[in-house]
Amino acid sequence: MSGRPSSREKILAAAAELADCAGPGNLSLDAVAQRAGVSKGGLLYNFPTKAKLMQALVEDYIAKFDATLVAKSQGACGEPTSRLAAYVELSAEEFEQVQPSAAGVVAALAEDPDFLNPIRTYKRQLLDTLKAESTDAAKLIVAFLVIEGLRSMKLFDMDILHEDERDMAFSYLLSEAAAPGAK
């Protein structure tokens, strides 16, 4: 095995880069093929429609997020940490990254209303996993809602919190997630 990325991986990486720059609704298959260094036919072989490419992008994001979450749950020195604490940490780190405007997401939803189904499914599974590991379901659900609310505010460019207020919220959630019995 050479370790070289497959054409599918190259296409997904190119599409992710372009979506980050222009938003998912502004992706063109020609631009993705050009950035990936593949023919349009090669792109269409892997992803017959733009909707299939978008779906694969979402699934790829979920897989990477989940792999990072699992790795963070192992702790820095191999000691397990609570998955909730790992989720709070990962969400705080992700929050600092630049995101494209929601216009692209809305455009992608208009093109394919099922665009968010994999995310809904993953979030439900994640919440169920977190609940199974928690001794305080109410605290967990509040933490989950705070994080998802912050994500939504950022996505729709409605984040009215100052950086210190956001940091305070994440610090509080992390201290609660790490508290004895929080699991």
Side-chain angles (χ1 to χ4, degrees), residues 137-183:
K139 185 190 297 187
L140 166 75
I141 289 172
V142 169
F144 189 83
L145 290 173
V146 167
I147 290 171
E148 294 306 318
L150 288 169
R151 281 184 202 279
S152 294
M153 286 171 59
K154 183 175 183 187
L155 176 66
F156 290 104
D157 198 22
M158 298 191 52
D159 182 12
I160 51 105
L161 296 178
H162 297 291
E163 186 177 351
D164 62 322
E165 293 168 328
R166 248 188 329 277
D167 290 346
M168 186 185 323
F170 279 121
S171 292
Y172 176 78
L173 292 175
L174 194 53
S175 69
E176 287 296 308
K183 226 174 162 192

Side-chain angles (χ1 to χ4, degrees), residues 17-179:
E17 290 170 14
L18 289 169
D20 283 346
C21 296
N26 297 320
L27 275 183
S28 86
L29 295 179
D30 289 325
V32 172
Q34 183 178 10
R35 172 138 315 160
V38 300
S39 68
K40 188 166 180 185
L43 184 146
L44 293 172
Y45 174 80
N46 285 283
F47 305 101
T49 64
K50 184 176 173 182
K52 291 289 184 194
L53 176 59
M54 298 300 295
Q55 180 182 5
L57 265 179
V58 169
E59 291 167 353
D60 190 54
Y61 166 79
I62 290 169
K64 287 176 181 172
F65 182 90
D66 194 56
T68 304
L69 181 61
V70 168
K72 278 193 168 296
S73 298
Q74 301 308 311
C77 299
E79 77 283 354
T81 186
S82 88
R83 193 173 304 237
L84 177 57
Y87 174 62
V88 172
E89 283 181 31
L90 181 56
S91 298
E93 290 168 9
E94 243 191 13
F95 201 87
E96 298 305 317
Q97 298 171 359
V98 176
Q99 288 182 322
S101 77
V105 173
V106 172
L109 280 170
E111 189 172 318
D112 180 9
D114 294 330
F115 175 68
L116 292 179
N117 283 346
I119 295 174
R120 280 187 204 99
T121 300
Y122 175 73
K123 297 279 182 158
R124 182 70 243 181
Q125 291 169 344
L126 175 59
L127 181 58
D128 290 342
T129 299
L130 293 170
K131 280 175 59 179
E133 295 176 359
S134 177
T135 58
D136 189 340
K139 185 190 297 187
L140 166 75
I141 289 172
V142 169
F144 189 83
L145 290 173
V146 167
I147 290 171
E148 294 306 318
L150 288 169
R151 281 184 202 279
S152 294
M153 286 171 59
K154 183 175 183 187
L155 176 66
F156 290 104
D157 198 22
M158 298 191 52
D159 182 12
I160 51 105
L161 296 178
H162 297 291
E163 186 177 351
D164 62 322
E165 293 168 328
R166 248 188 329 277
D167 290 346
M168 186 185 323
F170 279 121
S171 292
Y172 176 78
L173 292 175
L174 194 53
S175 69
E176 287 296 308

